[in-house]
Amino acid sequence: MLDIQNLNAGYGEMSVLRSINLTIGEGEIVSVVGSNGAGKSTMLKAISGIIKYSGSITWKSESLQGLKAHTIVNKGIIHVPEGRKIFPDMTVVENLMMGGYLCHKDSHRNLEKVFALFPKLAERRTQLGGTMSGGEQQMLAIGRGLMGNPKLLLLDEPSLGLSPLFTDVVFGAIRTINNNGVTVLLVEQNVYQSLNISHRGYVIETGRIVLTGTGEELLNNQEVKRAFLGM
Ligand SMILES: Nc1ncnc2c1ncn2[C@@H]1O[C@H](COP(=O)(O)OP(=O)(O)O)[C@@H](O)[C@H]1O
Ligand SMILES: [Mg+2]
């Protein structure tokens, strides 16, 4: 579904991603795990057309190179950025509607789907986004992404800074979203929980993919255990 070949990207003179190869099949949850600064967010920014890159990113056999970010969104590739980036002075419903602006006809139905997934958001529908807890804001950010009818959902560190309880809620929701037919690319520092819900994973270190395998293979890998799981 998404095919990344020899991707190189960075900021100005600084190169961050080096020869990344990665594929995502329809229906999969694929995770990219690695430490802070490894290049995970940079990879998602390249896919969603926010930064320039060399190499190729193809979506259903069509190149995404040079396309504007909104064109990529229209194809169903939806990026939930790191740090949530919700609108603090808008209510829960208004925040969600901002994610649904592309598909008005589905907005009402999608809103109900988001509320079914996150009942807490339904309870808080008139609350201002900025007054919600970190975990609630993360649900809102994911919900806003779902409003755009994603085929591929790009999730950037959805568990960052969340309590164990909210972390479980978020990972459970990712599973449900995937069971409902959405392909997911998850980038995370929470290596255990990410690999645990993923069909396949990649380990990224200073801009390079150093390991790949099924979620289970990576969880049982000695290097992964030593570097990320403290075993
Ligand atoms: N906007 C930016 N301008 C310059 N350098 C950046 C920018 N964003 C990230 N970087 C640098 O790129 C590298 C990779 O960052 P990032 O992709 O955010 O890593 P990760 O998401 O894995 O923590 C880091 O060295 C970071 O400092
Ligand atoms: Mg990041």
Side-chain angles (χ1 to χ4, degrees):
M1 200 182 203
L2 190 84
D3 188 17
I4 298 179
Q5 293 294 330
N6 195 26
L7 171 65
N8 292 277
Y11 303 92
E13 294 291 282
M14 188 178 80
S15 93
V16 174
L17 299 178
R18 299 147 201 261
S19 309
I20 300 277
N21 296 314
L22 178 147
T23 60
I24 306 171
E26 187 158 10
E28 283 191 306
I29 301 179
V30 172
S31 58
V32 174
V33 296
S35 314
N36 196 21
K40 302 181 298 298
S41 297
T42 302
M43 195 176 91
L44 295 190
K45 287 188 234 171
I47 296 170
S48 56
I50 302 170
I51 60 167
K52 295 206 168 89
Y53 56 89
S54 70
S56 76
I57 303 181
T58 55
W59 167 248
K60 300 181 170 181
S61 313
E62 181 197 357
S63 173
L64 297 181
Q65 178 70 267
L67 297 185
K68 296 245 160 47
H70 69 86
T71 308
I72 294 173
V73 169
N74 277 328
K75 292 180 185 296
I77 301 176
I78 294 188
H79 187 167
V80 178
E82 187 175 350
R84 336 207 204 282
K85 311 265 169 31
I86 58 138
F87 303 106
D89 298 326
M90 292 170 88
T91 67
V92 165
V93 168
E94 286 165 350
N95 265 280
L96 291 172
M97 285 303 180
M98 291 303 285
Y101 71 99
L102 286 166
C103 37
H104 283 295
K105 62 177 172 30
D106 295 335
S107 294
H108 189 72
R109 195 167 43 115
N110 285 347
L111 199 60
E112 291 311 314
K113 282 198 219 165
V114 170
F115 286 160
L117 184 66
F118 297 120
K120 191 124 213 174
L121 295 183
E123 285 168 28
R124 306 270 167 114
R125 65 179 76 207
T126 58
Q127 189 171 329
L128 295 182
T131 65
M132 313 234 294
S133 74
E136 291 162 352
Q137 290 190 15
Q138 185 61 60
M139 293 179 200
L140 185 53
I142 295 173
R144 189 177 57 190
L146 293 174
M147 293 292 291
N149 284 341
K151 295 192 175 77
L152 173 64
L153 192 61
L154 310 175
L155 295 175
D156 196 341
E157 302 224 31
S159 81
L160 192 68
L162 301 192
S163 68
L165 185 72
F166 274 121
T167 300
D168 288 347
V169 169
V170 163
F171 279 102
I174 297 168
R175 252 193 229 260
T176 305
I177 291 165
N178 178 251
N179 285 334
N180 291 341
V182 179
T183 305
V184 176
L185 175 59
L186 171 64
V187 314
E188 264 288 349
Q189 289 183 59
N190 187 331
V191 174
Y192 177 75
Q193 298 227 55
S194 305
L195 292 177
N196 200 30
I197 65 161
S198 293
H199 300 96
R200 292 187 302 110
Y202 295 81
V203 178
I204 186 170
E205 242 174 58
T206 54
R208 292 177 200 276
I209 302 291
V210 294
L211 268 178
T212 181
T214 66
E216 196 178 348
E217 282 164 357
L218 291 177
L219 280 175
N220 288 313
N221 179 282
Q222 289 307 323
E223 276 302 297
V224 172
K225 284 186 177 176
R226 190 188 52 76
F228 299 111
L229 306 176
M231 292 158 79

